[in-house]
Amino acid sequence: MVAIKKDFIPKSNDNRPGYAMTPAYITVHNTANTAKGADAKMHADYVKNPSTSVSWHFTVDDSDIYQHLPLTENGWHAGDGTDGTGNRKSIGIEICENADGDFDKAVANAQWLIKKLMKDHNISLDRVVPHKKWSGKECPRKLLNQWSAFKNGISSSDTPSKESPKSYPLPSGVIKLTAPYRKGTKVLQLQKALAALHFYPDKGAKNNGIDGIYGPKTANAVKRFQLMNGLKADGIYGPKTKAKLKAKLK
């Protein structure tokens, strides 16, 4: 498990309002800070600065989770006003995007944290929401286009992916959606590699859809992986996608 490091905002700060809160929602954000070093520790220091006007409860990166506020107090993170439900009744979680971090691991750690918080505070999965719900802001910007997959990952996150998954063999050549569907060992290798990084071909289906058939759901898993990793999201497995998968599976 990943230890949660409590590093609270001083009570004297304006961004620690201190209103009593009973959490009813969990709100997910991306930091939108891609600078090297913009990890959870840096954000912990940032929210403690007396001049900072915003606040949230947790920041998660690929190795650490920092807690900035008690869960009995609200933060200013949802953008829906001083009396808004997002600000006054939701736990705010920021997921780091620092260029020198592993975003997929940070996401997996956040999914683990959310699952724990859901259990501890009796919050249902339908009340795990994006920042966009409260203010309309396109946040969490790297997860909105695959929000369902992100929430599916919460359901399966018994432990966080702090450690890199083991190496999987990756097929050569190009694999894409065709009629009839392509089948065989190469497709199976690709599906297993995607699943190792939580991009399941068909979450909840038998063996999570790992069946050696490159159908629409496997193509969609490739698209989701590409989208999350700065590649053209065309659902076609080729050299660039292979290289990115290989880097993530080290």
Side-chain angles (χ1 to χ4, degrees), residues 111 115 151-159 198 200 203:
Q111 289 169 325
K115 187 172 183 177
K151 291 181 73 172
N152 286 340
I154 295 169
S155 301
S156 66
S157 58
D158 293 326
T159 56
H198 307 293
Y200 300 100
K203 180 66 179 173

Side-chain angles (χ1 to χ4, degrees), residues 153-171:
I154 295 169
S155 301
S156 66
S157 58
D158 293 326
T159 56
S161 293
K162 184 179 180 180
E163 300 175 358
S164 297
K166 67 180 180 180
S167 180
Y168 283 78
L170 291 169

